[in-house]
Amino acid sequence: MDKNAKHYPLNVTMPQHCAYVVRDLPQATVEQRERALNATHWNEFAFPSGMLTVDMLSDSGTTAMTNQQWATLFLGDEAYGRNTGYYVLLDTFRDIFERGGEKNWKKVIDLVRTDCRDIEKMMDEVYLCEYEGGLFNGGAAQMERPNAFIIQQGRAAESVLMEIVKKILAQRHPGKVFTIPSNGHFDTTEGNIKQMGSIPRNLYNKELLYEIPEGGSYEKNPFKGNMDIEKLEQLIQGVGPENVPLVFTCITNNPICGQPVSMANIREINRVAHKYDIPLVFDVARWAENCYFIKMNEEGYADKSIAEIASEMFSYCDAFTMSAKKDGHANMGGMLAFRDRGLFWQKFSDFNEDGTVKTDVGVLIKVKQISCYGNDSYGGMSGRDIMALACGLYESCDFGYMHDRVQQCEYLAQGFYKAGVKGVVLPAGGHAVYINMDEFFDGKRDHTTFAGTGFSLELIRRYGIRVSELGDFSMEYDLKTPEQQAELANVVRFAIDRSRLTQEHLDYVIAAVKALYEDRESIPNMRIVWGHKLPMRHFHAFLEPYANEEK
Ligand SMILES: *Cc1c(COP(=O)(O)O)cnc(C)c1O
């Protein structure tokens, strides 16, 4: 925020950063893009990024790194066993997620940055520190009861978790089908849950989500990403707590339009899950944004830092999976962790009659990690990526950076709103702006004709702008039960990654979407011509526009 505002007020935001590296954009024509769309089966993931003017497909791993991150990259240790970054990264997580704010940070990353040669000091403060009882065991405790796993991205962490949970449940209850509720399952989480044979459910308040505030903005963000606690209790009682092995919470709620979740809601989810003895798992791709929203909008948090809020937030989970490619952390990274001897560990480990551990779930996870992603010291990441990530995690705690980021989203959302585009979800989420396709098309398009995909492909064809469809096509409307269909948000997402796009890009996007909105009748419906039932089909299915007369 503008630090001069008190003395010499201006009604614009003070710049937070500047750019020293610049990339030129290509000047492709409509005809060239059309040819490329035809040649790539109209699958937007397969469209060459080198032909795009603005790529807003994802904010995942696409961020511009800071000069500090680039510098830290050079401190990467590529050793196979216990590279220095391993210690740095785990302690970065302890600093931010567990130590209650900046005043308690150890910041061992600075010992590496300043090239500390004092071996005794490094042994005492970095290499041989013992930690237990939290989310990130250290030293021998991490070997005896492994509970923190570096895994190169979010979905891989999910897949490791789900595969182990699936195996354990199948041994204990062969043939049984389980339900896993969330405030909103991300597409890969949903895919992983389905592949383990369980049923994903999304319990949020759809009416509140699509409510348009008077004049386009609320005084305080109403936390539209919250879990509907009543629905959660009803679901657990309805199917029986023994059939709900995990409760998930997505923070911020990416599939539900990147909307934040309040601390009060997180506390309630924890209370209900624990009342039924069910472990609570966070999916925390954007924990820092969520902490920013809590600080700005929830009573009692205005004077707390992002890191202080994060430490409280993480005290409520039993386990978490994390894509560290979001929130502007880094270009690659992920994490899976559970509380040492906590509810997740108790539920999924096996014990002898005398209470000693027969099979530790952490050891099972570690076996899977080693067989798929390598040694636990790097989990699919290079040493330099690990260092850039640690640096990026600290930077995400910077209020000015988060404020800038969220303001960019709000600028885009307000731009659409003021241009008269229907269906913009307001307020904007923390990393993206979403448009509800049902409203955009005046409720005229059928849910099985994938007009939202038609919208995103037409945006590529006409203007070279790529966004992601996260509605009927990606979330598989046609393959869902009626109650799951009702929980689906039929949206497209305009992702804004860290410090990469300028206001110029956003103005171009606003103008393009306005023009497309005014000509929405001509946007084609789409049909799937191959890969209809493939898991996570939007990443690889083939599509085709309906000919005009068929629409
Ligand atoms: C991106 C994302 C994932 C998957 O993470 P990847 O790093 O892309 O594999 C999982 N959950 C949420 C909420 C996400 O946004």
Side-chain angles (χ1 to χ4, degrees):
M1 255 195 279
D2 189 347
K3 297 189 174 70
N4 299 320
K6 222 167 32 186
H7 305 294
Y8 307 105
L10 290 175
N11 64 354
V12 293
T13 308
M14 196 163 124
Q16 292 287 330
H17 55 260
C18 61
Y20 270 119
V21 178
V22 171
R23 176 176 182 170
D24 280 331
L25 293 171
Q27 304 286 319
T29 64
V30 174
E31 290 72 25
Q32 287 168 329
R33 287 192 294 259
E34 198 168 303
R35 214 178 103 204
L37 282 167
N38 272 312
T40 53
H41 293 295
W42 297 83
N43 183 310
E44 56 175 346
F45 287 88
F47 191 89
S49 88
M51 294 178 66
L52 290 169
T53 304
V54 186
D55 195 357
M56 303 177 94
L57 182 66
S58 178
D59 60 329
S60 182
T62 59
T63 69
M65 290 210 297
T66 63
N67 53 356
Q68 294 296 318
Q69 284 185 292
W70 282 106
T72 313
L73 200 79
F74 279 88
L75 302 174
D77 171 7
E78 306 299 342
Y80 199 93
R82 288 299 181 265
N83 70 83
T84 304
Y86 165 84
Y87 301 100
V88 169
L89 183 61
L90 287 197
D91 212 57
T92 301
F93 278 114
R94 287 184 203 109
D95 264 354
I96 301 172
F97 290 5
E98 298 193 313
R99 293 198 175 124
E102 287 82 347
K103 59 187 182 298
N104 304 320
W105 281 1
K106 284 180 62 180
K107 255 197 145 176
V108 300
I109 192 172
D110 287 344
L111 291 175
V112 179
R113 280 169 165 159
T114 52
D115 197 20
C116 175
R117 305 283 179 98
D118 181 342
I119 292 291
E120 284 293 324
K121 190 177 171 68
M122 289 300 283
M123 284 167 69
D124 290 346
E125 295 183 27
V126 185
Y127 303 146
L128 302 183
C129 290
E130 286 292 326
Y131 294 101
E132 60 178 338
L135 290 163
F136 313 95
N137 282 350
Q142 178 66 242
M143 300 174 73
E144 291 151 15
R145 290 187 314 284
N147 72 336
F149 310 90
I150 300 171
I151 295 180
Q152 93 283 352
Q153 64 184 108
R155 71 198 62 192
E158 288 164 2
S159 149
V160 168
L161 175 77
M162 300 300 179
E163 206 159 302
I164 298 304
V165 165
K166 172 186 172 178
K167 230 183 237 170
I168 293 168
L169 291 174
Q171 275 164 7
R172 292 180 186 172
H173 316 279
K176 202 161 158 183
V177 175
F178 296 91
T179 301
I180 300 185
S182 175
N183 56 338
H185 286 296
F186 186 61
D187 54 358
T188 60
T189 323
E190 189 162 312
N192 274 309
I193 290 172
K194 281 190 191 155
Q195 286 178 88
M196 73 176 257
S198 293
I199 302 165
R201 295 288 303 274
N202 292 338
L203 312 177
Y204 65 101
N205 184 337
K206 201 173 193 175
E207 254 167 61
L208 177 65
L209 176 69
Y210 291 145
E211 176 190 276
I212 308 259
E214 189 124 341
S217 58
Y218 293 93
E219 203 156 294
K220 290 272 183 194
N221 188 303
F223 292 101
K224 294 181 174 188
N226 281 357
M227 179 99 76
D228 187 322
I229 298 294
E230 216 170 287
K231 281 189 199 158
L232 177 64
E233 284 239 44
Q234 276 169 8
L235 180 128
I236 295 173
Q237 287 174 359
V239 300
E242 69 283 5
N243 296 316
V244 182
L246 300 169
V247 170
F248 261 73
T249 301
C250 191
I251 300 170
T252 57
N253 197 343
N254 183 10
I256 309 306
C257 304
Q259 298 290 317
V261 186
S262 72
M263 194 73 89
N265 189 248
I266 290 170
R267 243 180 258 128
E268 277 297 285
I269 300 168
N270 173 288
R271 183 186 62 77
V272 172
H274 286 190
K275 177 172 144 192
Y276 296 101
D277 214 25
I278 304 169
L280 172 57
V281 184
F282 286 174
D283 175 7
V284 282
R286 299 176 185 83
W287 57 273
E289 275 166 29
N290 203 76
C291 293
Y292 166 89
F293 279 112
I294 288 174
K295 178 179 171 65
M296 299 298 275
N297 300 285
E298 192 164 351
E299 214 179 303
Y301 291 94
D303 296 331
K304 293 202 154 87
S305 71
I306 286 174
E308 283 175 306
I309 297 169
S311 290
E312 181 186 343
M313 200 166 87
F314 280 92
S315 73
Y316 298 120
C317 72
D318 301 298
F320 74 83
T321 62
M322 174 180 183
S323 167
K325 301 174 69 176
K326 324 289 175 59
D327 244 351
H329 297 325
N331 299 119
M332 190 49 86
M335 194 73 194
L336 166 62
F338 61 83
R339 197 169 303 286
D340 186 26
R341 296 193 169 110
L343 188 57
F344 176 84
W345 179 82
Q346 293 164 28
K347 283 280 159 186
F348 291 100
S349 296
D350 272 333
F351 299 91
N352 297 308
E353 293 210 338
D354 64 355
T356 53
V357 182
K358 194 165 152 197
T359 315
D360 186 312
V361 63
V363 174
L364 297 181
I365 291 177
K366 190 164 164 180
V367 168
K368 181 78 194 161
Q369 179 195 31
I370 294 170
S371 61
C372 293
Y373 304 104
N375 188 329
D376 64 339
S377 299
Y378 63 89
M381 293 174 72
S382 64
R384 62 189 88 107
D385 280 340
I386 289 176
M387 289 302 289
L389 170 57
C391 180
L393 286 164
Y394 285 114
E395 290 174 347
S396 296
C397 296
D398 180 79
F399 177 81
Y401 158 56
M402 263 314 146
H403 186 66
D404 211 33
R405 176 164 170 68
V406 173
Q407 290 300 109
Q408 253 200 335
C409 294
E410 197 55 27
Y411 178 85
L412 184 65
Q414 289 297 329
F416 290 155
Y417 178 74
K418 287 176 195 148
V421 175
K422 287 265 163 52
V424 188
V425 175
L426 295 165
H431 70 289
V433 174
Y434 293 69
I435 299 181
N436 172 3
M437 286 292 112
D438 297 338
E439 267 187 70
F440 184 93
F441 287 107
D442 311 300
K444 284 186 189 160
R445 301 294 181 99
D446 184 85
H447 283 287
T448 56
T449 55
F450 310 122
T453 307
F455 167 87
S456 37
L457 291 164
E458 196 60 8
L459 208 50
I460 292 177
R461 193 182 73 85
R462 291 192 198 188
Y463 303 109
I465 299 168
R466 175 161 62 181
V467 299
S468 61
E469 196 269 358
L470 281 174
D472 290 340
F473 174 54
S474 304
M475 297 300 179
E476 307 174 352
Y477 183 91
D478 47 312
L479 304 177
K480 286 194 143 125
T481 63
E483 61 187 359
Q484 286 176 317
Q485 283 173 341
E487 291 164 359
L488 194 154
N490 186 23
V491 291
V492 295
R493 179 186 75 178
F494 295 69
I496 301 183
D497 40 24
R498 176 185 193 149
S499 316
R500 196 172 59 86
L501 303 177
T502 64
Q503 193 167 319
E504 208 178 12
H505 295 102
L506 301 183
D507 288 337
Y508 176 72
V509 172
I510 292 166
V513 170
K514 179 176 191 284
L516 199 53
Y517 177 71
E518 284 160 5
D519 194 25
R520 60 193 176 285
E521 293 289 326
S522 72
I523 295 172
N525 286 323
M526 302 298 297
R527 67 172 142 228
I528 304 169
V529 292
W530 180 82
H532 195 106
K533 292 190 175 168
L534 279 175
M536 291 164 283
R537 66 186 181 194
H538 50 301
F539 289 107
H540 45 165
F542 303 168
L543 295 154
E544 203 174 72
Y546 277 94
N548 264 346
E549 61 277 11
E550 289 178 278
K551 255 195 321 213

